Amino acid sequence: MCLRMTRKAYPTDLTDTQWTLLEPLLPPATPGGRPRSVDLREIVNALMYLLRTGCPWRSLPHDLPPWSTVWTYFPRWRDDGTLARLHDQLRDQTRLAAGRDPQPSAGCLDSQTVKTAEKGGRVATMLARKFKGASATLSSIPWD
């Protein structure tokens, strides 16, 4: 069932070839309940638009699905591994087209965008400042 809306295409929209590659990787509608009323291609197009433009969810253009619908699919696909499968498929195809092995053998991280600690550094420092003097040790700080 194609519910594709007739609208002017955005530069981030999937081509027919790209959609043919990605469509089989998307989960089918859950059995029972209401039939799916949204076009998954438009959901993917909206996610691509968000990714490329960096706009807030609520600022999605009105000719894409409502932001709340797109948001409903995003965490579901993130948590069930759908987005990882899409990413892996696109990476493999891109690397094969460039004549490279589909699986990368190395990675590069930018230290400015990678957090080094989830918690502890600042909290521990601030607590230690509350207890001044020779008798203050880390074991004397109430960690509860």
Side-chain angles (χ1 to χ4, degrees), residues 114-122:
V114 177
K115 291 184 178 181
T116 57
E118 288 184 26
K119 202 170 186 181
R122 188 164 193 276

CSV table of all heavy atoms in Angstrom, one decimal, residues 114-122:
chain,number,residue,atom,x,y,z
A,114,VAL,N,33.3,13.3,22.2
A,114,VAL,CA,33.1,12.1,23.0
A,114,VAL,C,33.3,12.4,24.5
A,114,VAL,O,34.2,13.0,24.9
A,114,VAL,CB,34.2,11.0,22.6
A,114,VAL,CG1,34.1,9.8,23.4
A,114,VAL,CG2,34.1,10.7,21.1
A,115,LYS,N,32.2,12.0,25.3
A,115,LYS,CA,32.3,12.2,26.7
A,115,LYS,C,33.3,11.2,27.3
A,115,LYS,O,33.3,10.0,26.9
A,115,LYS,CB,30.9,12.0,27.3
A,115,LYS,CG,30.0,13.1,27.0
A,115,LYS,CD,28.7,12.9,27.7
A,115,LYS,CE,27.7,14.1,27.3
A,115,LYS,NZ,26.5,14.0,28.0
A,116,THR,N,34.1,11.6,28.2
A,116,THR,CA,35.1,10.7,28.8
A,116,THR,C,34.6,10.1,30.1
A,116,THR,O,35.1,9.1,30.5
A,116,THR,CB,36.4,11.5,29.1
A,116,THR,OG1,36.1,12.6,30.0
A,116,THR,CG2,37.0,12.0,27.8
A,117,ALA,N,33.6,10.7,30.8
A,117,ALA,CA,33.1,10.2,32.0
A,117,ALA,C,31.6,10.5,32.1
A,117,ALA,O,31.2,11.6,31.8
A,117,ALA,CB,33.8,10.7,33.2
A,118,GLU,N,30.8,9.5,32.5
A,118,GLU,CA,29.4,9.8,32.7
A,118,GLU,C,29.1,10.6,33.9
A,118,GLU,O,28.3,11.5,33.9
A,118,GLU,CB,28.6,8.5,32.7
A,118,GLU,CG,28.6,7.8,31.4
A,118,GLU,CD,27.7,6.6,31.4
A,118,GLU,OE1,26.8,6.5,32.3
A,118,GLU,OE2,28.0,5.7,30.7
A,119,LYS,N,29.8,10.3,35.0
A,119,LYS,CA,29.5,11.0,36.2
A,119,LYS,C,30.7,10.8,37.1
A,119,LYS,O,31.5,9.8,37.0
A,119,LYS,CB,28.3,10.4,36.9
A,119,LYS,CG,27.6,11.3,37.9
A,119,LYS,CD,26.3,10.7,38.3
A,119,LYS,CE,25.6,11.8,39.2
A,119,LYS,NZ,24.3,11.3,39.6
A,120,GLY,N,30.9,11.6,38.1
A,120,GLY,CA,32.0,11.4,39.1
A,120,GLY,C,32.9,12.6,39.2
A,120,GLY,O,33.1,13.1,40.2
A,121,GLY,N,33.5,13.0,38.0
A,121,GLY,CA,34.5,14.1,38.1
A,121,GLY,C,34.0,15.3,38.8
A,121,GLY,O,34.5,15.7,39.9
A,122,ARG,N,33.0,16.0,38.3
A,122,ARG,CA,32.6,17.2,38.9
A,122,ARG,C,31.9,17.0,40.2
A,122,ARG,O,32.0,17.8,41.2
A,122,ARG,CB,31.6,17.9,37.9
A,122,ARG,CG,31.3,19.3,38.4
A,122,ARG,CD,30.7,20.1,37.2
A,122,ARG,NE,30.6,21.5,37.6
A,122,ARG,CZ,29.6,22.1,38.3
A,122,ARG,NH1,28.6,21.3,38.7
A,122,ARG,NH2,29.6,23.4,38.6
